Amino acid sequence: MKTLSDLNINLNEDIPISGLSCSSKLIEKNQCFIALQGLKSHGLDFVDEAIANGASCILHNKSNYDQKQKVPCFYIKNLHERQKDILLNFYNICEENLKFLMFTGTNGKTSTAHFTYQILQKANKDAILVGTLGIESRTSFQETNTTTPNLFELFKFISKETYLDDLYVCIEASSHGLEQNRLIGLGVETRAILNIEKDHLDFHKNIESYVASKLKILNFPSQNKIILNGDCETSSSLINNELRDHDKCIISSTDRRADYFFSIVKIDKSSCIFKLTIDRECIDLKVNFFQKYNIYNLIFAIAATNQIEKNTFLKKDIIESLILPKGRAKMITKKKKNILVDYAHNFGGMKAIIKSVSNIYENLVIVYGCGGERDNSDRGRMMQFASNNSRKVIFTSDNSRSESFQSILDDSKKDHEYSNLIVESDRKQAIKLGLELIKENEILLILGKGHEEFQEIKGTKIPFNDQRVVEQILWNILYFF
């Protein structure tokens, strides 16, 4: 068993430690509790819980803290900044063998990180994926409560991995994670800002703070250029202002001068053919999804892996074999009905998915809702866009939490009357109604939850998955009719 002296923090103490955690709830017998400042409170406020759960000692960064505890308690200067080094020492991990690829953006992080992860694995590299869907590798999986976990969760997972040479870590960096410095101290191989649109203003309060949080990805040192979307309005503004003095790698479908320029050749209901130009060399590619925004996500993954080893990962057979992650643009076609299940839960995501299908299908029906107790600034805009671009909108529940469904509906309607709006608070019934309404060459979009396995209502998580509900209803239709 390791001792405190093994952490290389100038403590000559032979106190045994079986693990490290910054969460008092997760502390187990003989573990060291790392007490740090949180969003609303300091870890020292939860010392009693940590000790009750078995903590053998406590490290903290509050210089004026002098309360006596039942276990040894040590002040460590710059403890927050030293988390990574402490974890590397405890787990005996060689930092040089860890290659981090970091992606931030309002939409597309999960798909881009997932594409990158697949490219690396298909090229026989050891890799792990960290994000909304959890932390996973070829052999392991761990659920997470946040898109971007803290370093303790991340390095504990890494410590259990077996890798021959380098381990590539593909990370979704959320605005919350960046603002709270959850990944402090990491050096990265590649950094990318996929796009920036208004989101999470319940946390960031204004768009300026939200953009500033995204730009914190630049705090992670890298020898490579920051990868940006030249077609995103906000990114374009940053390119000419805040990022003017940074080395940049640009992806675009409108500017042929971009480092990665692509043009769509053909789109149908199951695929997309496009041309990708890199360094004046054009590559013809066909992928098994049709959404243009996912082509952007794919090219970000190509650009990221190309920064690691140029042309090593850009293999036509690998790129054309990639699939979308769980709950992202999942197509279901049965009994002449077309359904797409997607995680799109903000205005930008909704707009992108609607635009992607509008030129392929004659019309569409949309089932969606808005999350309770979250950023409500775009609820009205989402309702208006959905109504203007579909034959029917069925507004339903989507993790209402402790906010009433009626409050969310009123906030979305903004005193407007929509002639094509149907309100059905029961999400299963809303999906069933949508399936009944769509015609042969139309599509039903079920938006907002994607991969999620529950509905959160009034503090209770109720098992619910959009895709399984669709398949169950369609099976009943096939079986009974």
Side-chain angles (χ1 to χ4, degrees):
M1 187 180 292
K2 290 291 186 76
T3 67
L4 266 186
S5 59
D6 294 321
L7 301 185
N8 197 24
I9 51 175
N10 299 320
L11 281 179
N12 190 23
E13 299 282 345
D14 292 327
I15 300 170
I17 51 174
S18 61
L20 303 169
S21 180
C22 63
S23 170
S24 59
K25 294 182 184 299
L26 300 179
I27 284 288
E28 297 177 2
K29 186 178 180 180
N30 289 328
Q31 288 191 342
C32 174
F33 177 46
I34 312 292
L36 297 166
Q37 180 63 50
L39 188 61
K40 296 181 179 179
S41 56
H42 196 282
L44 288 170
D45 298 332
F46 305 94
V47 163
D48 291 343
E49 182 179 40
I51 294 173
N53 285 336
S56 62
C57 57
I58 297 160
L59 303 181
H60 67 87
N61 59 353
K62 215 168 186 178
S63 59
N64 61 349
Y65 184 79
D66 58 3
Q67 293 185 31
K68 300 295 182 183
Q69 298 295 342
K70 296 177 182 178
V71 300
C73 190
F74 304 97
Y75 164 71
I76 304 297
K77 187 177 180 180
N78 298 324
L79 179 60
H80 186 261
E81 292 78 6
R82 299 171 73 178
Q83 293 174 75
K84 180 197 70 175
D85 293 332
I86 288 171
L87 288 160
L88 289 172
N89 288 325
F90 179 79
Y91 290 117
N92 292 325
I93 296 172
C94 178
E95 186 175 10
E96 291 181 358
N97 295 125
L98 299 181
K99 309 297 182 183
F100 295 97
L101 300 90
M102 192 175 293
F103 306 95
T104 194
T106 305
N107 295 299
K109 296 184 295 296
T110 299
S111 296
T112 304
H114 193 264
F115 286 144
T116 306
Y117 172 65
Q118 290 179 79
I119 290 171
L120 291 164
Q121 287 201 330
K122 288 174 182 289
N124 295 316
K125 299 292 184 180
D126 293 307
I128 67 174
L129 175 64
V130 183
T132 306
L133 302 181
I135 309 178
E136 70 171 90
S137 66
R138 289 187 196 273
T139 58
S140 303
F141 174 77
Q142 176 185 315
E143 289 187 358
T144 55
N145 294 322
T146 56
T147 294
T148 307
N150 60 50
L151 289 175
F152 293 89
E153 290 180 87
L154 179 59
F155 278 90
K156 184 177 181 179
F157 188 94
I158 289 173
S159 71
K160 298 176 183 178
E161 288 298 296
T162 301
Y163 43 99
L164 296 175
D165 188 8
D166 294 328
L167 180 66
Y168 294 88
V169 185
C170 309
I171 301 182
E172 295 180 50
S174 68
S175 60
H176 294 73
L178 290 169
E179 183 64 30
Q180 295 168 18
N181 294 315
R182 291 181 200 157
L183 301 173
I184 189 168
L186 297 185
V188 299
E189 294 298 306
T190 183
R191 306 159 299 175
I193 302 176
L194 311 180
N195 48 66
I196 301 180
E197 299 182 39
K198 188 170 66 171
D199 200 13
H200 299 304
L201 299 194
D202 54 316
F203 177 81
H204 297 285
K205 306 307 178 187
N206 56 64
I207 186 64
E208 291 78 17
S209 295
Y210 177 64
V211 172
S213 74
K214 291 297 188 186
L215 290 178
K216 286 191 174 184
I217 196 171
L218 297 169
N219 295 342
F220 298 90
S222 174
Q223 295 181 347
N224 289 308
K225 299 176 180 179
I226 180 75
I227 308 172
L228 300 163
N229 184 343
D231 300 332
C232 168
E233 183 177 345
T234 303
S235 295
S236 295
S237 174
L238 294 173
I239 289 168
N240 295 319
N241 293 285
E242 288 90 341
L243 299 177
R244 183 173 57 251
D245 297 327
H246 289 265
D247 290 331
K248 297 171 284 291
C249 171
I250 307 299
I251 293 170
S252 177
S253 66
T254 60
D255 186 353
R256 293 183 176 274
R257 298 169 299 174
D259 300 276
Y260 291 79
F261 172 76
F262 74 95
S263 57
I264 304 292
V265 177
K266 181 182 178 183
I267 289 178
D268 60 32
K269 294 179 180 180
S270 61
S271 65
C272 176
I273 299 172
F274 66 100
K275 293 180 180 291
L276 175 61
T277 303
I278 311 170
D279 295 332
R280 298 183 181 179
E281 181 180 344
C282 185
I283 308 165
D284 294 308
L285 294 165
K286 180 180 180 180
V287 291
N288 298 316
F289 44 86
F290 62 82
Q291 306 83 15
K292 186 177 181 179
Y293 64 86
N294 272 325
I295 304 301
Y296 277 102
N297 295 335
L298 171 59
I299 296 172
F300 267 99
I302 291 171
T305 51
N306 216 24
Q307 283 190 344
I308 297 170
E309 293 179 33
K310 194 168 184 179
N311 297 328
T312 298
F313 303 102
L314 186 52
K315 306 296 183 185
K316 186 180 176 72
D317 59 331
I318 290 179
I319 302 304
E320 295 190 338
S321 69
L322 301 180
I323 61 173
L324 290 165
K326 183 180 179 182
R328 279 15 180 216
K330 174 62 180 178
M331 284 295 303
I332 304 168
T333 304
K334 285 183 181 179
K335 204 173 174 61
K336 298 182 179 180
K337 292 184 181 293
N338 305 298
I339 305 102
L340 187 148
V341 176
D342 192 80
Y343 187 58
H345 58 282
N346 55 34
F347 178 75
M350 171 184 275
K351 181 179 178 182
I353 196 76
I354 290 175
K355 287 178 67 176
S356 73
V357 301
S358 60
N359 294 327
I360 299 176
Y361 294 90
E362 287 181 3
N363 220 322
L364 56 151
V365 174
I366 302 172
V367 172
Y368 90 102
C370 293
E373 299 179 325
R374 293 294 186 268
D375 182 6
N376 62 2
S377 61
D378 268 342
R379 287 177 178 176
R381 193 158 64 135
M382 290 173 70
M383 174 70 80
Q384 187 173 45
F385 189 84
S387 177
N388 290 345
N389 290 276
S390 65
R391 184 168 64 80
K392 287 288 182 183
V393 174
I394 306 172
F395 190 83
T396 190
S397 58
D398 180 353
N399 294 339
S400 301
R401 301 181 178 87
S402 296
E403 187 175 356
S404 73
F405 175 75
Q406 189 61 48
S407 170
I408 297 170
L409 173 62
D410 292 343
D411 215 13
S412 299
K413 290 176 65 177
K414 302 288 186 187
D415 296 324
H416 289 95
E417 292 299 325
Y418 294 96
S419 60
N420 62 341
L421 173 65
I422 299 171
V423 177
E424 173 52 74
S425 61
D426 185 314
R427 192 172 180 93
K428 183 174 182 179
Q429 291 302 313
I431 292 172
K432 184 174 183 292
L433 178 58
L435 288 168
E436 292 170 353
L437 285 173
I438 54 170
K439 301 173 183 177
E440 185 172 334
N441 200 34
E442 296 185 333
I443 187 168
L444 173 63
L445 300 186
I446 304 173
L447 307 180
K449 298 187 65 62
H451 65 282
E452 291 183 349
E453 296 287 344
F454 60 84
Q455 274 270 56
E456 187 177 349
I457 300 174
K458 295 182 179 178
T460 302
K461 289 188 175 181
I462 304 165
F464 193 98
N465 177 270
D466 284 346
Q467 183 179 336
R468 279 199 293 275
V469 168
V470 169
E471 290 171 345
Q472 179 187 26
I473 294 170
L474 289 177
W475 184 87
N476 288 337
I477 292 172
L478 288 168
Y479 185 80
F480 292 108
F481 297 96

